[in-house]
Amino acid sequence: MAVVLAGEVRAAVAQRRPVVALESTIIAHGLPRPRNLDVARELEEIVRAEGAVPATVAVLDGWAHIGLDQRQLERVAGEEGIRKLGHRDLAPALALGASGATTVSATAMLAARAGIRTFATGGLGGVHRGWAEVQDESADLRLLGRTRITVVCAGVKSVLDVPATLQRLETLGVGVLGFRTDSFPGFYLRSSGEPVDWTVREPREVAAAMRAQDTLGGPDSALIVANPVAAAEELDPRLHDRVLTEALAACARERITGQAVTPFLLEYLASHTDGASLAANLAAVRGNVRLAAQIAAAWSAVA
Ligand code: PSU
Ligand code: MN
């Protein structure tokens, strides 16, 4: 099998020590270069500072890597033509020797198969606005409907149709826990305005829910831990709403479709908020990575 576990990740999984999977699409396609490489390194450092092992996932030259060395991280952050790979793209990428960053769906699939239970990202993909016309729903949702992994995120990007995405998660049987919040986070904002049914306050409560999933033995669905960005670091909600409206209009005008939609909208927000959306995005991701490492530690203690 063309899947390579870094030695450190393999050892930690075998010894049931805490490991956190990190996706690479946010690095390659969600953040501006060259800042993205610093962020990739910083996220790994945050995991280590909490006593866990980082496992950034990407495909390089047809090999799926779980855990990257410095050179490999540099390739993901800087290589021209690095692709964006959802889980359906993994087989052709491996077969054809391609290189690409993995989305939530591809990262979750690879991480779960490698025995990693905790995963941190910024925001999940979801149901796009205008779904009735274009049927654009991220493959993240269905994959999480059949993969036993815990994903820490700041909700779904506000560019999406948040109520429709939450409805899909319910249909797919994916559990959603608000972390110290009773509302679903809005990625750049603390709240999307939508409620969550369950609130947890401590990493050990998340670990207990993971344990209960295994005890019940139901379908292999994911558990989403929705962790809002800190109040001091959220984007100004009025600025957010104004620029988002413009971004959606620009996306329609320029006829952006498919995989290009998410990167286009994220870039538009960053460049039209004078970097404020980027700052909020980074703050949210850092917070998610830290919490995921704490959950991984709590999970190792009970698993
Ligand atoms: N969140 C971000 N930046 C990103 C993404 C999420 O802040 O770049 C990526 C994730 O990898 C997610 C993907 O899985 O966008 C969803 O893309 P699509 O809608 O094409 O499935
Ligand atoms: Mn899509």
Side-chain angles (χ1 to χ4, degrees), residues 150-200:
T150 297
V151 191
V152 183
C153 61
V156 300
K157 273 151 294 174
S158 47
V159 303
L160 300 171
D161 183 336
V162 177
T165 302
L166 286 168
Q167 182 56 59
R168 277 299 281 159
L169 289 169
E170 181 180 350
T171 302
L172 292 165
V174 178
V176 180
L177 308 178
F179 192 80
R180 298 182 183 164
T181 182
D182 55 11
S183 80
F184 192 65
F187 193 61
Y188 303 111
L189 306 178
R190 283 189 56 77
S191 172
S192 65
E194 298 298 316
V196 285
D197 292 335
W198 296 95
T199 299
V200 289

Side-chain angles (χ1 to χ4, degrees), residues 52-77:
V53 173
T56 304
V57 175
V59 176
L60 293 168
D61 308 319
W63 294 81
H65 289 271
I66 301 175
L68 302 180
D69 63 25
Q70 286 303 316
R71 176 78 202 91
Q72 292 167 333
L73 212 54
E74 283 167 22
R75 285 188 62 188
V76 170

Side-chain angles (χ1 to χ4, degrees), residues 261-275:
V261 169
T262 301
F264 175 88
L265 292 171
L266 294 178
E267 203 288 316
Y268 191 100
L269 262 84
S271 59
H272 292 75
T273 58
D274 200 20

Side-chain angles (χ1 to χ4, degrees), residues 30 34 46 57-58 72 85-86 89 91 96 118 122 134 153-154 157 187 200 210 217 250 271 282 302:
I46 292 172
V57 175
Q72 292 167 333
L85 308 174
D89 302 309
L96 301 177
T118 318
V134 291
C153 61
K157 273 151 294 174
F187 193 61
V200 289
M210 292 159 69
S271 59
L282 290 176
V302 300

